[in-house]
Amino acid sequence: TDKHRQRIINWIDSTGGLCAAFDFTTKGILQEAVKGELWRLRDPEEKPPGVMGWWPSRSVTFIENHDTGSTQGHWPFPSDHVMEGYAYILTHPGIPTVFYDHFFDWGDSFHDEIAKLMEIRKSQDIHSRSAVKILEASSNLYSAIIDDKLCMKIGEGPWCPSDPEWKLAACGDRYAVWHK
């Protein structure tokens, strides 16, 4: 993964650091991780993989776009894990993007869950440079604290923060988000 994300970093560097880039490394790792390899979401330096872990303010995170999903279907995110993907990118640093089809065409339930995660990101002031502390990254569980304001988990493994100060803000199939 380091070679791949380094190529993206090199391109960003070539623009004088003025441009952001789609974080294809994070997309690729995340869509494999949700299939039972959530340990992939922590690199050897205890950071998120992909451009997000090295230069989050220039990382445009996504789980699907017009080239990978929709009618193209070239590299689609597993449809039964889409909300885990959004729980990850909308709670982590970087510049998250929401795929039009997911937000407008997949029904009210998906729309409302994604909108809730977007609202939490905004209300907790999670931004492109937010700090991530990865707590757990195993085959079926990933959990992290972001900016000491938001706590999240994805995967089938049971987990919740032990401090009663954390209040559940959103949850769904294989994801949950808490804030103080």
Side-chain angles (χ1 to χ4, degrees), residues 103-169:
F103 200 64
F104 293 108
D105 297 342
W106 279 34
D108 291 343
S109 177
F110 276 95
H111 177 277
D112 294 349
E113 286 183 73
I114 294 167
K116 180 68 174 171
L117 292 171
M118 291 166 50
E119 175 191 319
I120 293 166
R121 180 182 181 89
K122 183 177 179 180
S123 72
Q124 296 302 304
D125 193 30
I126 303 303
H127 51 81
S128 65
R129 292 187 172 117
S130 289
V132 176
K133 180 180 178 187
I134 298 171
L135 303 173
E136 179 75 34
S138 62
S139 61
N140 68 346
L141 175 66
Y142 171 87
S143 64
I145 294 178
I146 296 82
D147 280 348
D148 292 323
K149 298 185 233 176
L150 185 144
C151 192
M152 61 81 67
K153 77 88 142 181
I154 59 174
E156 294 178 349
W159 187 88
C160 66
S162 57
D163 190 332
E165 180 175 35
W166 293 103
K167 304 295 181 208
L168 184 64

Side-chain angles (χ1 to χ4, degrees), residues 7-167:
R7 287 177 59 203
I8 298 171
I9 295 286
N10 291 347
W11 182 86
I12 296 169
D13 278 339
S14 75
T15 71
L18 298 175
C19 291
F22 282 106
D23 192 346
F24 277 90
T25 310
T26 293
K27 180 214 183 344
I29 292 169
L30 180 58
Q31 76 182 40
E32 292 306 311
V34 296
K35 297 175 189 175
E37 298 178 350
L38 292 167
W39 53 267
R40 292 176 176 265
L41 298 176
R42 177 169 37 200
D43 77 5
E45 297 173 353
E46 303 288 317
K47 296 179 181 181
V51 177
M52 179 201 297
W54 285 357
W55 202 348
S57 65
R58 296 294 179 255
S59 166
V60 178
T61 55
F62 68 106
I63 64 168
E64 208 73 271
N65 68 24
H66 66 279
D67 289 324
T68 65
S70 194
T71 58
Q72 299 281 352
H74 290 305
W75 194 33
F77 200 87
S79 61
D80 56 336
H81 294 278
V82 163
M83 285 311 303
E84 284 174 278
Y86 282 117
Y88 183 82
I89 68 168
L90 290 169
T91 60
H92 279 60
I95 305 163
T97 60
V98 173
F99 187 44
Y100 181 96
D101 293 13
H102 294 156
F103 200 64
F104 293 108
D105 297 342
W106 279 34
D108 291 343
S109 177
F110 276 95
H111 177 277
D112 294 349
E113 286 183 73
I114 294 167
K116 180 68 174 171
L117 292 171
M118 291 166 50
E119 175 191 319
I120 293 166
R121 180 182 181 89
K122 183 177 179 180
S123 72
Q124 296 302 304
D125 193 30
I126 303 303
H127 51 81
S128 65
R129 292 187 172 117
S130 289
V132 176
K133 180 180 178 187
I134 298 171
L135 303 173
E136 179 75 34
S138 62
S139 61
N140 68 346
L141 175 66
Y142 171 87
S143 64
I145 294 178
I146 296 82
D147 280 348
D148 292 323
K149 298 185 233 176
L150 185 144
C151 192
M152 61 81 67
K153 77 88 142 181
I154 59 174
E156 294 178 349
W159 187 88
C160 66
S162 57
D163 190 332
E165 180 175 35
W166 293 103
K167 304 295 181 208

